[in-house]
């Protein structure tokens, strides 16, 4: 990777636009970046890092990138031109910028922008590759092969960090190397093996707990039949499975013996119950027969008491049978008498409607009077037709009068309407022309409404999103603060746990077993947990809280970006015009549009009204002409009707006599004919029924005499209706059936014999049978309980045996995983140096770094010092990441902390350069043609400074250029290519001088 050109605008301390030509500076191989404190030397390096990765080094993240000296209209921008992997690229990045609104007051936020371009040598021009932050970041990381952290350690060599790295302990050194070489996968292997170990141990303990639980269930099922106690063991104790199975075998044997005894007792109780039940059945049968004989004697006594009533009922039934022969004559006489009464009543009602002159007339006289009235009624038929014709003539004459009046009204109304029509038509034509003009105006306003409404909607969205942006910014600040607090709390908890880790290790110590840390089998003074001790679960909870808070922070930042994008889009569409002003414009347009549409809405109605008016004019003219014709033709018809009416009135005056009309006279005659005819008919019927009643009386008297009754009334009294006959027959049948049944029971041999025996003792037999049944139930319950105990013990034993078989492979897996986990964690006795897997990998990398650093350190120290990797254990701790310096003058190996200040600088510089070489090889061999070294040269004497500069100058052999950031004045004389940063009140500027 070689840097060519850097352009900075409104970035950090640089208020205006500044440009750095690295090609000119790199021509000498070494160039100096100097300037007073606070001028912005480090900001140049920050700009390089920001152009590549979109962020500055970790210690300076979170602050504002925009220069306080920049003009309000100038946007912050960094552009870097470089060559990497044979490709010449140009990166341009602009951070988010809050600028003043173009219209109105206030500010608006513009989102961050990024561009990536590549120079096309064949075309001789730049071509755009991407404008996506994510795509550009992935492309640069892939080309460089390094993350931002690795780039800051390898290219922007921070000497203070490497001096600390040189003197750091193994843990701090391991954290830095882990970030640079990305050994997280090996730490993940350690963690995964530890998780597998805990999971396997959990499964084994869970299996033992389940087995022990089954053992306690077997103890509960066995009860007190087993004298041998259950083994007092816990999950994980050796021999647990064998002890449980042995105890289960004893419990099953004892339970089967108890089951055999209970079965025999149940068999004896069942035999006794059968005998008691048989005796109870015999006693019950004797008691039943004795009750049956006693009941039969009581029923016979009751029959004897009712014998008189039975004989009376028999005599009553015999008289009723004789009276049944007289029943038909009685029925005939009653029917005839009822018919005669109805006929006489009808005759009386009919005669009451006739005049008194017909009171004594017979049926023949009444019929003759009816015939005479009918003949007179027939003579009125011609008069009735004449009367009907007269009615028609009157109706027609009235119709002609109404039609004449209607025609006169039509003529008058038509004349008035036609006289006003011309003025009405002129008014409608004016209305139509006005409505057409309003319709045209409404179409023009409709074209202006939609854009205005869209701008108003966008303006309202703009105002809402402005408030949402402020709220989202507050949320981002709050969630960031919570994430920082959660991270600080997690680090505090982790530090507390590390301080108390000895107590956790001591909790697993067992006398006689080796310690996982030191291997000793005696533990005279193990550490104890103090109040407030923090365990792994507490640390993991704190870490989970921090991760959730950090995730929430990222989500809030993403939400803020989306809100800002939506705000920019709404602002672009709405402009800077205030929402109230846009609302007034839209309201004015809507009001004008509504008025125009309201005026135009009457166009169709006016046209329709004009069309209907023309049709009405034609209709009224035709109606006026038709009415005039009708009036002329109606005069002759009226005279003809008047002559015919006079002739019919004279004829009807003679026909109706004293009645009001012919119809009234005809109605009188029709009513007289009907009354006379009905009276004659009823008189004939009454005479016929009277004769039939006399005949019925004679036949009834003859039938009663033959049946043996003195009078017909006596025969009628002896008759029974159906209900009484059925009730009497039922009583006779019931008495007879009861008599037969009683005689049958008294004649039974077994019943009579049982009556001669002493009374049966039923209660004693039932009590004996109940006692026998209770003893059988108790024996069956005892047998069932022993059977259930045997079944439950067998089931639990099978389950326990299956658990033992299932736990076998789990125990083997746990032993295997535990050996691997302790080996990679450095706690196994097989790991002599107690070195973790990640530390082992980092130790190999540290050996490479030490070898690469030694090649330069020997030149800087004139062959005196050599850096070596040490895997010695520090006291009783772990080993693997030690770093020592070998002094050739004394031949002794000593700690790097014993180096002087100048020696520490060039040793750390050599270490940084060596680390850069190893990381570069690890990243896939990407060439790093431009390096920066930050400070530290002031601690060197002149000779050592010359040697260090010679080493840096030797980097030119690899076609590298090295930028030195320093305040040392002697370097300005020694290094001719310089980039000076000069600060002032209006911001810093750069001055460049080549070789």
């Amino acid at each position: 990777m070689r840097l060519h050109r850097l352009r900075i605008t409104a970035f950090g301390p640089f208020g205006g636009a500044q440009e750095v030509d690295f090609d000119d500076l790199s021509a000498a191989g070494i160039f100096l970046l100097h300037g007073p404190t606070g001028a912005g030397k480090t900001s140049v390096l920050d700009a390089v890092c920001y152009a590549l990765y979109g962020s500055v080094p970790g210690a300076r993240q979170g602050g504002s990138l925009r220069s306080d000296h920049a003009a309000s209209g100038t946007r912050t921008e960094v552009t870097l031109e470089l060559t990497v992997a044979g490709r010449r690229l140009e990166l341009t990045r602009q951070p988010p910028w809050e600028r003043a609104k173009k219209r109105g007051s206030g500010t608006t936020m513009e989102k961050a922008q990024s561009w990536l371009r590549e120079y096309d040598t064949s075309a001789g021009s730049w071509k755009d590759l991407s404008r996506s932050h994510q795509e550009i970041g992935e492309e640069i990381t892939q080309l460089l092969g390094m993350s931002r952290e690795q780039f800051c350690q390898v290219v922007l060599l921070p000497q203070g960090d490497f001096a600390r790295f040189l003197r750091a302990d193994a843990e701090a050194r391991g954290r830095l190397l882990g970030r640079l070489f990305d050994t997280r996968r090996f730490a993940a292997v350690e963690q995964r093996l530890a998780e597998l170990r805990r999971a396997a141990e959990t499964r084994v303990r869970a299996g033992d707990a389940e087995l022990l639980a089954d053992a306690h269930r077997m103890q509960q099922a066995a009860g007190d039949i087993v004298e041998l106690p259950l083994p007092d063991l816990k999950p994980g104790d050796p021999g647990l499975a064998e002890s449980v199975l042995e105890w289960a075998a004893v419990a099953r044997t004892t339970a089967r013996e108890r089951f055999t005894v209970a079965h025999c007792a149940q068999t004896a109780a069942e035999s006794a119950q059968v005998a008691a039940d048989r005796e109870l059945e015999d006693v019950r049968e004797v008691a039943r027969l004795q009750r049956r004989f006693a009941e039969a004697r009581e029923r016979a006594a009751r029959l004897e008491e009712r014998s008189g009533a039975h004989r009376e009922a028999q005599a009553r039934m015999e008289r009723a049978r004789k009276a049944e022969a007289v029943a038909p004559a009685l029925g005939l006489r009653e029917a005839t008498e009822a018919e005669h009464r109805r006929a006489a009543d009808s005759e009386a009602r009919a005669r009451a409607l006739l005049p008194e002159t017909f009171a004594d007339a017979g049926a023949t006289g009444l019929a003759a009077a009816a015939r005479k009235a009918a003949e007179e009624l027939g003579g009125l038929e011609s008069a009735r037709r004449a009367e009907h014709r007269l009615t028609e003539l009157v109706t027609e004459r009235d119709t002609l009068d109404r039609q004449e009046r209607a025609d006169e009204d039509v003529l008058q109304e038509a004349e008035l309407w036609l006289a006003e029509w011309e003025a009405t038509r002129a008014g409608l034509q004016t209305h139509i022309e006005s409505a057409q003009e309003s319709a045209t105006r409404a179409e023009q306003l409709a074209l202006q409404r939609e854009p205005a409404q869209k701008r108003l909607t966008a303006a309202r969205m703009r105002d809402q999103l402005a408030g949402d942006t402020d709220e989202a910014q507050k949320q981002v600040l709050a969630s960031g603060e919570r994430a920082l607090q959660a991270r600080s709390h997690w680090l505090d908890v982790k530090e507390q746990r590390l301080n108390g880790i000895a107590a956790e290790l001591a909790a697993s110590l067992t006398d006689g077993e080796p310690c996982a840390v030191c291997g000793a089998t005696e533990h005279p003074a193990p550490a104890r947990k103090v109040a407030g001790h923090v365990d792994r679960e507490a640390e993991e909870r704190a870490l989970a809280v921090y991760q959730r808070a950090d995730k929430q922070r990222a989500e809030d930042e993403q939400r803020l970006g989306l809100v800002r994008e939506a705000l920019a889009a709404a602002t672009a569409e709405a402009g800077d015009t205030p929402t109230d002003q846009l609302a007034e414009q839209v309201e004015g347009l809507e009001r004008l549009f509504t008025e125009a549409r309201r005026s135009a809405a009457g166009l169709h109605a006016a046209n329709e009204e004009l069309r209907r008016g023309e049709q009405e004019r034609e209709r009224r003219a035709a109606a006026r002409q038709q009415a005039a014709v009708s009036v002329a033709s109606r005069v002759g018809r009226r005279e003809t009707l008047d002559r015919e009416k006079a002739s019919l009135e004279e004829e009807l005056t003679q026909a109706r006599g004293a009645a009001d009309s012919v119809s009234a006279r005809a109605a009188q005659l029709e009513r007289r004919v009907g009354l006379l005819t009905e009276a004659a008919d009823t008189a004939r019927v009454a005479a016929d029924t009277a004769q039939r009643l006399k005949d019925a009386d004679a036949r009834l008297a003859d039938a009663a005499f033959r049946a043996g009754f003195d009078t017909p009334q006596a025969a009628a009294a002896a008759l029974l209706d159906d209900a009484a006959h059925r009730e009497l027959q039922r009583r006779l049948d019931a008495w007879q059936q009861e008599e037969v049944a009683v005689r049958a029971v008294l004649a039974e041999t077994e019943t009579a014999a049982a009556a001669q025996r002493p009374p049966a003792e039923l209660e004693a037999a039932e009590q004996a049978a109940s006692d026998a049944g209770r003893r059988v139930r108790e024996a069956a319950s005892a047998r069932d309980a022993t059977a259930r105990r045997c079944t439950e013990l067998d089931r639990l034993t099978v389950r326990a045996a299956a658990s033992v078989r299932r736990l076998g492979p789990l125990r083997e897996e746990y032993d295997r995983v535990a050996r691997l986990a302790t080996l990679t964690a450095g706690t196994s006795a097989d790991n002599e140096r107690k070195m973790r897997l990640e530390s082992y990998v980092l130790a190999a990398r540290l050996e490479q770094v030490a070898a690469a650093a030694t090649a330069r350190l020997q030149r800087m120290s004139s062959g005196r010092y050599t850096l070596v990797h040490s895997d010695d254990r520090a006291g009783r701790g772990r080993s693997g990441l030690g770093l020592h310096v070998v002094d050739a003058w004394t031949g002794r190996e000593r700690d790097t902390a014993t180096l002087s200040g100048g020696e520490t600088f060039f040793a750390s510089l050599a270490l940084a350069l060596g680390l850069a070489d190893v990381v570069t090889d690890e990243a896939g061999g990407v060439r790093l043609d431009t390096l920066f070294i930050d400070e530290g040269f002031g601690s060197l004497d002149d000779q050592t400074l010359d040697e260090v500069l010679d080493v840096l100058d030797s980097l030119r052999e690899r076609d590298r250029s090295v930028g030195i950031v320093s305040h040392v004045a002697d370097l300005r004389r020694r290094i001719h290519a310089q980039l000076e940063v000069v600060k002032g009140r209006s911001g810093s500027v750069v001055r460049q001088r080549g070789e």
Side-chain angles (χ1 to χ4, degrees), residues 205 208 212 232-242 811:
R205 287 186 177 273
D208 285 347
L212 193 57
D232 188 12
L233 296 174
K234 297 180 180 179
D237 291 347
L240 174 65
E242 293 76 7
R811 291 184 186 278

Side-chain angles (χ1 to χ4, degrees), residues 399-727:
T399 301
L400 288 175
D401 293 340
R402 286 196 302 273
Q403 289 176 353
E404 185 173 4
R405 290 192 298 272
D407 289 341
E408 291 176 354
D409 293 340
V410 169
L411 286 171
Q412 184 178 2
E413 183 179 357
E415 292 293 343
L416 292 175
W417 192 92
L418 291 173
E420 297 175 355
W421 165 241
E422 292 300 328
T424 302
R425 179 167 56 185
L428 288 176
Q429 193 65 40
T430 303
H431 188 192
I432 290 172
E433 293 174 356
S434 176
Q436 288 176 343
E437 293 177 357
S438 297
T440 304
R441 186 167 61 257
E443 292 178 357
Q444 295 173 353
L445 291 172
L447 297 177
Q448 303 174 14
R449 284 174 64 236
E450 185 175 357
Q453 289 175 348
K454 288 183 177 179
R455 289 192 61 193
L456 176 59
T457 303
R460 289 172 176 168
M461 181 61 68
R462 176 195 63 196
D463 297 343
Q464 179 181 355
L465 290 175
D468 295 345
T469 302
D470 296 338
E471 184 64 26
Q473 286 177 339
K474 295 178 182 178
Q475 188 68 23
V476 167
L477 293 176
S479 59
E481 182 64 24
R482 288 193 294 270
L484 289 176
Q485 293 176 359
R487 187 175 187 275
S488 176
H489 175 65
W490 167 54
L491 294 176
D492 293 341
V493 170
K494 184 174 183 180
E495 183 177 0
Q496 294 176 17
R497 181 172 180 269
L498 292 176
N499 293 335
I501 196 68
E504 291 190 22
L505 296 174
S508 62
L509 295 178
T510 305
D511 292 338
E513 295 184 2
C515 174
V517 179
C518 63
T521 57
E522 296 181 359
H523 318 293
R528 295 288 184 267
K529 293 182 179 179
V530 299
H533 173 73
V534 178
D535 54 7
R536 178 184 291 273
E537 287 75 11
E539 180 188 351
E540 291 177 351
R541 286 196 300 272
L543 175 59
V545 171
Y546 162 62
Q547 290 174 343
R548 288 195 298 270
D550 189 62
K551 181 180 179 181
Q552 183 63 39
R553 176 195 59 76
E555 292 177 354
D556 291 341
E557 290 180 351
Q558 183 180 6
R559 189 179 303 111
L560 175 60
L562 295 176
V563 172
R564 284 175 173 172
E565 291 180 2
L567 177 59
T571 304
E573 183 173 355
D576 296 332
T577 305
T579 305
D580 296 340
Q581 183 177 350
L582 291 176
E584 291 178 359
Q585 294 176 1
V586 171
E587 184 178 358
L589 288 175
E590 285 291 339
R591 185 172 58 256
L592 294 176
F593 177 73
T594 302
E595 293 175 355
R597 287 199 59 182
R598 187 184 300 112
S599 300
L603 176 60
H604 178 71
N607 285 324
E608 286 295 319
E609 187 175 356
L610 179 61
R611 182 183 60 82
R612 289 194 300 271
E614 293 291 348
Q615 293 177 352
E616 181 68 13
R617 183 188 64 78
E618 296 176 359
R619 185 186 67 79
R620 286 183 180 269
R624 181 178 60 180
Q625 182 179 3
Q626 181 65 31
V629 173
S630 298
V631 169
S633 63
R634 199 175 291 115
V635 176
R637 180 59 179 167
R638 185 185 299 111
E639 294 177 353
T640 303
L641 292 177
D642 290 341
R643 287 194 300 270
E644 186 177 0
K645 178 182 176 185
S647 175
L648 291 175
E649 287 178 349
E650 182 180 357
E651 179 182 354
L652 290 176
T653 300
Q654 297 175 0
R656 61 174 171 259
D660 295 336
S661 64
V662 176
S663 297
R665 178 60 180 167
Q668 292 176 356
L669 293 175
E670 287 177 354
R671 184 171 179 276
R672 180 181 296 178
V673 170
L675 292 176
L676 291 172
T677 302
E678 183 179 2
D681 293 340
T682 56
R684 285 194 296 268
V685 172
D688 293 341
T689 55
Q691 183 61 40
R692 286 199 302 274
L693 179 60
K694 293 178 181 179
D695 297 341
D697 287 337
R699 284 194 295 271
L700 176 61
D702 184 62
F705 178 75
R706 290 195 192 95
F709 293 99
D710 296 337
T711 62
Q713 290 75 15
L719 280 175
L720 296 174
D721 56 14
D722 292 342
H725 187 277
R726 285 195 299 270
E727 176 61 22

Side-chain angles (χ1 to χ4, degrees), residues 961-975:
S961 61
V962 179
I964 298 175
V965 183
S966 178
H967 295 88
V968 178
D970 192 32
L971 290 177
R972 301 178 192 174
R973 296 189 299 271
R974 294 171 179 261
I975 302 175

